Amino acid sequence: MTRQRELIYRIVTAAPEHRTAEEIYDLAREEIPSLARGTVYRNLGLLVQAGQIRKLEMDGAPARYDRDPLTHPHLICQRCGRVEDLTMPEALLAPLAEDLGEPITGYELKLYHICPACRG
Amino acid sequence: MTRQRELIYRIVTAAPEHRTAEEIYDLAREEIPSLARGTVYRNLGLLVQAGQIRKLEMDGAPARYDRDPLTHPHLICQRCGRVEDLTMPEALLAPLAEDLGEPITGYELKLYHICPACRG
DNA sequence: ATACGTGCAAACGCTTTGCACTCTC
DNA sequence: GAGAGTGCAAAGCGTTTGCACGTAT
């Protein structure tokens, strides 16, 4: 754990925000101005691989990073891209998986809305 | 509807496959060899906007196009990227949306597995 | 003739990567 | 002093776009 990686991890996990690599990069440079963008991407990748954080691909927008590595659904504002975590009764998905007769290795559920702030 | 757009639409809707732009481009050039990649992207975009087909963003892989424009879940092979359509009892999502007390403008549900072919 | 669509190639945005250097153990 | 991690800049990849030309009304 280098200073850089520790900082990046701290930024992702400190707040419930789901930030983009660029946002993390900007925040991190307040503390380590020499930090390189590549280092941010590299470390985010490593943290994801290590199961410490989660990457959220965003449909035509930069990916965002979630401090909670466990699978759970997200509520996404279609206007500003803000992401909120949802809690999902596992029971909800079970019947669907059962119908398939297929072992499911994971899932991804995104709900879209216009957040109160954007609704005005 | 030009010849090119008609062809692209036909390729997407003819088969249940969820093809990438590149695959569609290759297939289309068998019929119109002069077809440009840009034309494929442009027309796919227009068809999506017109609500005739649906674009499926694929998490770090090229997008795929679905002949069914209606929202429905997908079963995706993590190894080869193959996509199958699922039918989702609307009733399943309703309680979740209700809990939010938020108007949902859309959803996206992806289930992941290793398809029989890849499982060997 | 007028508007829309095409082919081509260059640009774009996000992300990854090769490299030489610098830490750390 | 060996191995991992960094900063930098260039490349990569899927996709988009500006432009001049073609094509269909």
Side-chain angles (χ1 to χ4, degrees):
Chain A
M1 261 283 176
T2 60
R3 202 157 84 85
Q4 287 85 338
R5 186 171 314 166
E6 194 277 326
L7 171 56
I8 289 164
Y9 177 68
R10 182 150 42 84
I11 289 173
V12 174
T13 53
E17 318 297 340
H18 297 69
R19 301 189 206 275
T20 64
E22 192 68 19
E23 289 167 351
I24 294 164
Y25 172 62
D26 288 340
L27 285 171
R29 282 210 306 175
E30 292 177 7
E31 196 168 319
I32 307 181
S34 65
L35 184 68
R37 213 182 247 98
T39 300
V40 174
Y41 278 104
R42 244 184 317 237
N43 280 312
L44 286 171
L46 288 169
L47 290 167
V48 167
Q49 244 188 292
Q52 302 192 250
I53 63 174
R54 169 171 259 263
K55 182 178 188 178
L56 260 178
E57 311 265 3
M58 290 298 292
D59 284 20
R64 289 169 181 274
Y65 293 85
D66 188 333
R67 62 173 166 180
D68 180 356
L70 297 175
T71 291
H72 58 276
H74 293 97
L75 180 62
I76 302 169
C77 175
Q78 288 189 308
R79 196 110 70 200
C80 67
R82 236 177 83 84
V83 178
E84 273 177 75
D85 293 311
L86 298 177
T87 51
M88 170 68 140
E90 265 319 308
L92 239 142
L93 234 33
L96 198 67
E98 222 173 278
D99 276 5
L100 296 174
E102 277 281 313
I104 295 302
T105 58
Y107 75 88
E108 175 95 73
L109 174 57
K110 293 180 179 142
L111 300 185
Y112 293 96
H113 77 330
I114 309 292
C115 76
C118 285
R119 236 184 278 135
Chain B
M1 263 283 176
T2 60
R3 201 157 85 87
Q4 287 86 337
R5 182 169 318 163
E6 194 275 328
L7 171 57
I8 290 164
Y9 177 69
R10 182 150 41 84
I11 288 173
V12 175
T13 53
E17 319 296 340
H18 298 67
R19 303 189 205 274
T20 64
E22 193 67 19
E23 288 166 351
I24 294 163
Y25 173 61
D26 287 341
L27 285 171
R29 281 208 307 174
E30 290 177 10
E31 195 167 319
I32 307 182
S34 66
L35 183 69
R37 213 181 246 97
T39 300
V40 173
Y41 280 104
R42 245 183 316 238
N43 280 313
L44 286 171
L46 289 169
L47 289 167
V48 167
Q49 245 188 293
Q52 302 193 251
I53 63 175
R54 171 172 259 262
K55 182 179 189 177
L56 261 179
E57 310 266 3
M58 290 299 292
D59 285 22
R64 289 169 180 275
Y65 293 85
D66 188 333
R67 64 172 164 181
D68 179 357
L70 297 175
T71 290
H72 58 277
H74 292 96
L75 180 62
I76 302 170
C77 175
Q78 289 190 308
R79 196 110 69 199
C80 68
R82 236 179 82 84
V83 178
E84 274 176 75
D85 293 312
L86 298 177
T87 51
M88 170 69 139
E90 265 318 310
L92 240 142
L93 233 34
L96 197 69
E98 222 172 277
D99 276 5
L100 296 173
E102 277 283 313
I104 296 303
T105 57
Y107 76 87
E108 176 93 73
L109 174 56
K110 293 180 179 144
L111 300 185
Y112 293 96
H113 77 330
I114 310 292
C115 75
C118 284
R119 234 185 279 135

